[in-house]
């Protein structure tokens, strides 16, 4: 057995050792009893993304960016779209449109392979980080996206501010609950049907689906006692059916947990209740600041959960909370775009957590029964 000094030394070694960043984004889809579909996800990164909610109205002229800074694909947004951006750009990292189509980009390190930019594909090319605007601006359903994705290419254009090409793959869900995963592999966009609605990071989606077969033993039900030579062995408390559920922050482990939690959740009655269920599930994937570290350029960077979102695809509402403020806020697309009056607008996401003092807020009526009464 390890002594305390050895355990502390082991923890310190892990904390100081250079490791690859986890890129720990997690995506799930839930369905309410009333038919509402809710997609929820977390966003983790070691560098503050400085995200806000950006509203891009229909009629906005948009275009893709080539690696040399030239102009790629051009299109006019057919639909209003809103969601979290990054670094002040009018780019939706995670969001939805007013047709009930939801989109999320997640990091896909070591596996993303983009097409080479060339004169013959320039007019249908865009940067990986621009893909969300193209999806939400042009399409209303997953089937439309699946058909149209054959006509575009993603080229290795550096992301503004970071000045590097981010490896990305994408989750798309519509208001019927149909979901797909889109991954750039071998320079082409591969589309996978995603009936479970779950996505994390690398490796590829097919690998994660195969890996699920290693966990078919997991169960939400209590384990019955076992009798061995007259000795009855009962479970030590509840939860033994989940014994072996991986609890680390790696993408394969989070994928397993996300599938288990999302599909074990009792369906809620309404979309609003399902949104709250989504946030509760995503709490299981929060990374506390300092638990996942990486060394770069002699500096230690800590990956953490910067924000969590939920998209109600029935009532067209985009919800979010942030690392600094765990209160849940919503953007009602109908109200927001009516107020925006056709302009690109931004709503601040990062705010300070309010803490309310209830010391003297006594309840009226009968007080708590005293023990001696």
């Amino acid at each position: 057995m390890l002594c305390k000094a050895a355990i502390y030394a082991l923890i310190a070694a892990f904390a100081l050792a250079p490791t690859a960043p986890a890129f720990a984004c997690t995506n799930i889809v839930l369905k309410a009893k009333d038919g509402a579909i809710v997609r929820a996800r977390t966003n983790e990164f070691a560098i503050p993304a400085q995200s806000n909610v950006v509203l891009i109205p229909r009629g906005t002229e948009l275009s893709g960016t080539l690696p040399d800074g030239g102009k790629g694909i051009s299109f006019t947004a057919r639909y209003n779209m809103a969601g979290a951006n990054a670094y002040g750009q009018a780019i939706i990292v995670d969001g939805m449109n007013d047709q009930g189509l939801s989109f999320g980009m997640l990091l896909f390190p070591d596996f993303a392979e983009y097409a080479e930019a060339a004169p013959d594909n320039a007019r249908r090319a865009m940067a990986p980080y621009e893909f969300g605007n193209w999806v939400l601006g042009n399409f209303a359903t997953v089937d439309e996206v699946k058909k149209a994705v054959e006509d575009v290419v993603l080229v290795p254009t550096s992301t503004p501010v970071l000045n590097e090409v981010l490896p990305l793959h994408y989750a798309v869900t519509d208001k019927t609950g149909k979901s797909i995963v889109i991954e750039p592999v071998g320079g082409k966009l591969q589309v996978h049907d995603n009936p479970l609605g779950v996505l994390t990071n690398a490796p590829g989606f097919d690998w994660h689906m195969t890996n699920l077969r290693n966990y078919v033993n997991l169960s939400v039900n209590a384990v019955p006692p076992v009798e061995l030579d007259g000795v009855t062995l009962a479970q030590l408390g509840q939860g033994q059916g989940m014994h072996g559920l991986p609890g680390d922050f790696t993408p394969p482990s989070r994928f397993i947990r996300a599938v288990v939690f999302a599909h074990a959740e009792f369906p809620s009655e309404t979309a609003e209740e399902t949104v709250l269920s989504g946030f509760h599930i995503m709490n299981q994937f929060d990374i506390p600041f300092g638990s996942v570290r990486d060394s770069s350029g002699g500096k230690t960077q800590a990956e953490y959960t910067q924000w969590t979102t939920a998209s109600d695809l029935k009532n067209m509402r985009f919800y979010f909370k942030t690392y600094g403020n765990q209160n849940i806020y919503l953007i009602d697309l109908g109200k927001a775009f009516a107020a925006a009056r056709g302009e690109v607008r931004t709503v601040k996401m990062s705010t300070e957590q309010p803490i309310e003092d209830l010391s003297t807020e006594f309840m009226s009526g009968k007080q708590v029964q005293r023990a001696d009464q």
Side-chain angles (χ1 to χ4, degrees):
M1 182 179 295
L2 290 173
C3 66
K4 283 187 177 181
I7 292 173
Y8 292 151
L10 187 62
I11 292 172
F14 279 126
L16 296 175
T19 58
F23 300 127
C25 310
T26 303
N27 179 97
I28 64 170
V29 176
L30 302 174
K31 184 176 182 178
K33 289 183 178 180
D34 67 1
I37 300 298
V38 172
R39 188 182 71 82
R41 63 87 56 93
T42 62
N43 181 66
E44 285 81 17
F45 206 53
I47 303 171
Q50 303 170 24
S51 295
N52 291 302
V53 176
V54 61
L55 282 71
I56 303 176
R58 67 170 65 91
T60 301
E61 299 292 334
L62 299 167
S63 62
T65 307
L66 303 178
D68 63 2
K71 188 176 181 180
I73 190 172
S74 295
F75 61 96
T76 302
R78 299 175 59 194
Y79 306 115
N80 294 324
M81 48 184 165
N85 71 352
Y87 306 113
Q89 305 296 307
I91 298 294
I92 292 180
V93 172
D94 184 87
M96 60 185 296
N97 67 19
D98 60 6
Q99 303 301 299
L101 186 70
S102 180
F103 170 91
M105 65 173 68
L106 289 78
L107 286 160
F108 192 40
D110 300 324
F111 286 84
E113 301 169 330
Y114 300 119
E116 291 295 327
D120 64 342
N121 67 16
R123 291 188 176 182
R124 55 192 186 93
M126 71 190 88
Y129 61 85
E130 295 168 331
F131 191 58
N133 283 9
W134 180 78
V135 169
L136 296 177
N138 286 295
F139 309 106
T141 68
V142 159
D143 287 339
E144 291 178 6
V145 176
K146 288 176 69 173
K147 183 178 179 180
V149 81
E150 301 173 359
D151 299 327
V152 297
V153 295
L154 301 184
V155 293
T157 302
S158 294
T159 303
V161 181
L162 294 179
N163 296 318
E164 61 179 286
V165 179
L166 289 181
L168 300 169
H169 62 171
Y170 312 96
V172 183
T173 301
D174 65 25
K175 63 183 178 183
T176 71
K178 186 173 290 188
S179 297
I180 57 174
V181 171
I182 303 172
E183 296 182 331
V185 177
K188 297 182 180 180
L189 292 175
Q190 295 184 356
V191 180
H192 304 276
D193 290 324
N194 186 11
L196 299 181
V198 171
L199 185 62
T200 56
N201 312 104
F205 180 73
D206 279 348
W207 185 95
H208 286 291
M209 292 299 292
T210 300
N211 187 47
L212 271 177
R213 296 168 65 179
N214 287 316
Y215 296 89
V216 294
N217 61 296
L218 295 176
S219 173
V220 297
N221 297 313
V223 177
V226 173
E227 184 113 0
L228 294 176
D229 292 332
V231 177
T232 300
L233 303 175
Q235 65 176 2
L236 293 171
Q238 294 297 320
Q240 286 290 339
M242 287 293 183
H243 188 71
L245 181 71
D248 59 76
F249 293 123
T250 62
S253 295
R254 286 184 287 104
F255 192 96
I256 301 302
R257 294 207 307 281
V259 169
V260 170
F261 294 146
H263 292 271
E265 181 79 7
F266 287 118
S268 300
E269 295 289 339
T270 66
E272 190 170 58
E273 292 172 348
T274 304
V275 166
L276 294 178
S277 294
F279 278 107
H280 279 297
I281 292 174
M282 300 322 293
N283 285 341
Q284 304 298 319
F285 301 91
D286 268 359
I287 297 182
F289 192 72
S291 298
V292 175
R293 307 184 193 185
D294 178 37
S295 295
S296 178
K299 295 182 178 180
T300 299
Q301 295 178 325
E303 188 147 337
Y304 64 103
T305 303
Q306 298 190 15
W307 43 259
T308 303
T309 65
S311 297
D312 172 1
L313 307 184
K314 177 182 179 180
N315 299 301
M316 310 305 168
R317 291 178 171 180
F318 180 76
Y319 295 77
F320 66 89
K321 66 175 184 177
T322 66
Y323 180 84
N325 189 344
Q326 292 291 290
N327 283 359
I328 298 172
Y329 297 92
L330 75 87
I331 303 293
D332 183 300
L333 268 64
K335 294 178 181 178
F337 281 101
R341 298 184 179 182
E343 297 181 5
V344 176
R345 304 297 291 270
T346 304
V347 177
K348 186 177 181 180
M349 287 181 70
S350 181
T351 54
E352 186 175 342
Q353 176 74 54
I355 299 177
E356 188 174 355
D357 185 354
L358 299 180
S359 303
T360 59
E361 296 296 321
F362 303 124
M363 297 174 63
S364 60
K366 186 178 180 180
Q367 301 299 310
V368 177
Q369 186 75 28
R370 283 172 44 188
D372 59 350
Q373 291 180 333

